[in-house]
Amino acid sequence: DAMVIQNPRYQVTQFGKPVTLSCSQTLNHNVMYWYQQKSSQAPKLLFHYYDKDFNNEADTPDNFQSRRPNTSFCFLDIRSPGLGDTAMYLCATSRDLGPNQPQHFGDGTRLSIL
Amino acid sequence: QQQVKQSPQSLIVQKGGISIINCAYENTAFDYFPWYQQFPGKGPALLIAIRPDVSEKKEGRFTISFNKSAKQFSLHIMDSQPGDSATYFCAASNFGNEKLTFGTGTRLTIIP
């Protein structure tokens, strides 16, 4: 049973056209994360929510925003995508913060900017 | 100091052999070291993890060896199978910094 569900699985959008990716979880976890993974690279953390508290990584571009309207859902908004934003976007959850808290990943949204 | 260095970048092992992937870190505050397995088109999945208070952890065919003084840890896959072909990422984190620092990944291919 899928526990972290990302939609859509594939998204193609035009340069500069806003795009929203969604993530839902059935685990009732407190923490939700968004990662960017470019081809043959490690996942790179963009930001995370602990409950409603938003935590942005220092090097995450302002172009990237996130919303978490409730425990189950989290959205990644890219306001004006550039060609360099073509990547796999991964959502993950963990029960709580801190080490020993396994992160559970979804299967990602593969985003292509044309 | 936040880096985790992973090697090799790619690895080919014959079926039934032992696959070994190595990672090294600098930040002595790291106290949680997970390994993730990622198949093409899928998200990473937690495979096995270790805390620095033990030197080895085994789960089935997968073993983490941890050397605290050398700041190194490795993943051993015994009796490697074609189904183990995937990309493996080591990672590290510490309490107070919830960010997982990933290694650069190893693409493992098991050949018949």
Side-chain angles (χ1 to χ4, degrees):
Chain A
D1 292 336
M3 294 178 289
V4 182
I5 303 163
Q6 293 188 242
N7 284 300
R9 291 298 314 278
Y10 303 91
Q11 176 78 52
V12 180
T13 193
Q14 288 180 329
F15 179 95
K17 185 174 181 181
V19 64
T20 294
L21 311 181
S22 74
C23 177
S24 64
Q25 55 133 340
T26 59
L27 298 164
N28 202 33
H29 281 175
N30 290 316
V31 192
M32 295 187 78
Y33 307 81
W34 279 103
Y35 288 86
Q36 179 192 64
Q37 186 178 28
K38 295 189 175 180
S39 182
S40 302
Q41 295 185 20
K44 177 180 179 294
L45 182 64
L46 296 172
F47 25 60
H48 75 270
Y49 272 96
Y50 178 68
D51 195 12
K52 296 181 181 178
D53 292 335
F54 178 71
N55 295 271
N56 199 29
E57 290 299 302
D59 56 355
T60 298
D62 293 340
N63 204 21
F64 290 81
Q65 305 284 321
S66 185
R67 297 170 283 136
R68 190 179 185 187
N70 54 53
T71 300
S72 301
F73 284 88
C74 196
F75 299 97
L76 170 62
D77 301 307
I78 308 177
R79 289 189 298 188
S80 181
L83 298 178
D85 297 329
T86 291
M88 173 84 89
Y89 289 86
L90 295 163
C91 174
T93 73
S94 63
R95 183 176 302 280
D96 213 329
L97 291 173
N100 279 347
Q101 297 291 331
Q103 293 189 20
H104 302 263
F105 285 82
D107 286 338
T109 294
R110 188 172 294 279
L111 178 66
S112 297
I113 311 300
L114 303 180
Chain B
Q1 200 180 20
Q2 283 294 105
Q3 280 187 328
V4 176
K5 296 181 180 179
Q6 183 171 348
S7 62
Q9 190 173 10
S10 63
L11 180 63
I12 299 174
V13 174
Q14 212 151 23
K15 180 182 174 183
I18 303 173
S19 304
I20 302 174
I21 304 170
N22 300 299
C23 285
Y25 63 97
E26 289 296 324
N27 186 353
T28 55
F30 285 146
D31 57 6
Y32 176 66
F33 302 90
W35 284 89
Y36 283 85
Q37 179 189 56
Q38 185 175 27
F39 294 105
K42 297 287 189 179
L46 179 65
L47 191 61
I48 186 172
I50 197 168
R51 295 289 306 274
D53 50 352
V54 296
S55 60
E56 186 175 281
K57 182 174 182 180
K58 184 175 181 179
E59 290 184 3
R61 296 185 294 109
F62 300 91
T63 300
I64 300 179
S65 297
F66 186 82
N67 186 330
K68 188 173 181 178
S69 60
K71 293 184 284 187
Q72 295 175 346
F73 60 109
S74 60
L75 176 69
H76 293 63
I77 306 175
M78 313 299 287
D79 187 26
S80 299
Q81 298 297 312
D84 298 329
S85 296
T87 298
Y88 292 80
F89 291 97
C90 63
S93 68
N94 59 281
F95 188 80
N97 180 5
E98 288 67 33
K99 179 178 179 176
L100 268 179
T101 300
F102 282 92
T104 48
T106 296
R107 180 171 289 186
L108 174 65
T109 303
I110 308 300
I111 56 174

